[in-house]
Amino acid sequence: MDIDLKEDIVSTYSHPGSLAGKSVIVTGAGQGIGKGAAAALAERGASVVLVDINEDTVKRAAAELSDVGYEVVSHVNDISEPANAVTVVQAAVAAFGTVHGLVNNAIAGNGPTPFTDLTDGDYDRVFDTGPRATFALMKAVYPYLKHNGGGSIVNLGSAAGAAGEPFFGTYGGAKEAIRGMSKVAALEWGVDQIRVNSICPFANSDGAMAWKQANPDDFDRAMQAVPLRRIGDTRTDVGALIAFLLGDDSTYVTGQTIFVDGGKASIR
């Protein structure tokens, strides 16, 4: 009997309960990678707090998940204000009793801009919503993860910083700051069994799709640099990796940067 092994694996491989009993905060969860990550986590049994500054999008994203039976709540918050990090964590504790994981995905980008044209305002916007917010949220969630005997944090980096990307000076710099903090926290918090990892994705986020529409030639060139010849999916590719890093299958993985980009980073 002939068996299509690839089809068999795809159709049966799942972790429907791998995150059962865990509550996770995901920032920037109203759309794009954050939304995909929230869906992947909820599918695997996690209780998820979807955080976003845009009330309409985050409530819509949460409703899509709750309507099919997943345990999620939305929380509208401007994480560029450091004091709001405590409010985010308190919302998770109020909803689910505690926190076991954090996904720092939110960041405001400036769009492609020559380095010499970037302003102080451009810099502040990206760094306030990226590294500063990540820093504040990591500190705010730490006591709960320690109290629980451990936990996992996944921070979003970018090849724009790790490999370099022209015209993304503030964005690339902010993403590298996040990766640097992640490594330091992983070293310091390992004794508490708190794992901190970074991922650098290339996925069909809203931003990537806007880029494809606005600059199709540039987008096509980027796609040609991907060995797998496709763009990643926010839920089944990136979200699945985030779920793995938040779950018990990765309890010996920390301080790492993982490129989930179809192999694109390997040739840069």
Side-chain angles (χ1 to χ4, degrees):
M1 179 176 65
D2 293 332
I3 300 176
D4 187 337
L5 292 178
K6 182 177 180 181
E7 179 62 29
D8 184 60
I9 292 172
V10 170
S11 64
T12 61
Y13 180 77
S14 65
H15 289 303
S18 63
L19 295 177
K22 297 184 184 296
S23 60
V24 183
I25 297 167
V26 181
T27 68
Q31 60 183 3
I33 289 173
K35 181 180 178 180
L41 299 177
E43 288 170 352
R44 290 160 175 79
S47 303
V48 186
V49 181
L50 287 77
V51 182
D52 204 289
I53 193 173
N54 190 310
E55 182 174 4
D56 291 339
T57 58
V58 74
K59 286 188 173 182
R60 188 180 310 118
E64 290 174 8
L65 294 172
S66 62
D67 285 349
V68 292
Y70 297 127
E71 190 172 17
V72 303
V73 296
S74 63
H75 178 70
V76 181
N77 202 302
D78 179 3
I79 61 169
S80 68
E81 295 292 336
N84 288 348
V86 173
T87 306
V88 170
V89 175
Q90 288 176 341
V93 173
F96 303 123
T98 189
V99 184
H100 301 95
L102 168 66
V103 180
N104 282 303
N105 164 71
I107 189 170
N110 292 319
T113 307
F115 200 96
T116 52
D117 291 342
L118 290 166
T119 67
D120 289 347
D122 293 332
Y123 181 97
D124 290 342
R125 180 169 181 260
V126 176
F127 274 76
D128 285 349
T129 56
R132 185 182 294 275
T134 296
F135 171 72
L137 282 162
M138 287 172 66
K139 290 204 303 177
V141 81
Y142 169 79
Y144 295 93
L145 303 188
K146 182 178 180 180
H147 176 76
N148 290 331
S152 179
I153 297 172
V154 178
N155 294 328
L156 273 286
S158 173
E165 190 72 40
F167 308 115
F168 286 89
T170 54
Y171 184 81
K175 287 297 190 179
E176 282 297 271
I178 290 170
R179 285 211 308 140
M181 284 191 294
S182 301
K183 294 175 185 178
V184 172
L187 293 171
E188 291 187 17
W189 295 352
V191 67
D192 300 314
Q193 301 303 308
I194 298 171
R195 298 177 293 107
V196 186
N197 292 286
S198 301
I199 67 166
C200 296
F202 180 50
N204 58 347
S205 64
D206 298 75
M209 294 302 95
W211 173 34
K212 178 180 180 180
Q213 184 174 2
N215 299 285
D217 292 340
D218 288 345
F219 183 84
D220 287 344
R221 279 192 290 270
M223 288 301 303
Q224 289 303 310
V226 179
L228 291 182
R229 292 297 189 273
R230 67 178 180 87
I231 193 168
D233 183 80
T234 59
R235 179 177 61 85
T236 59
D237 292 316
V238 181
L241 175 61
I242 291 172
F244 165 74
L245 292 172
L246 288 170
D248 293 339
D249 288 336
S250 61
T251 53
Y252 204 52
V253 179
T254 193
Q256 303 301 307
T257 297
I258 302 175
F259 290 83
V260 51
D261 61 0
K264 188 171 183 287
S266 67
I267 59 175
R268 297 185 65 179

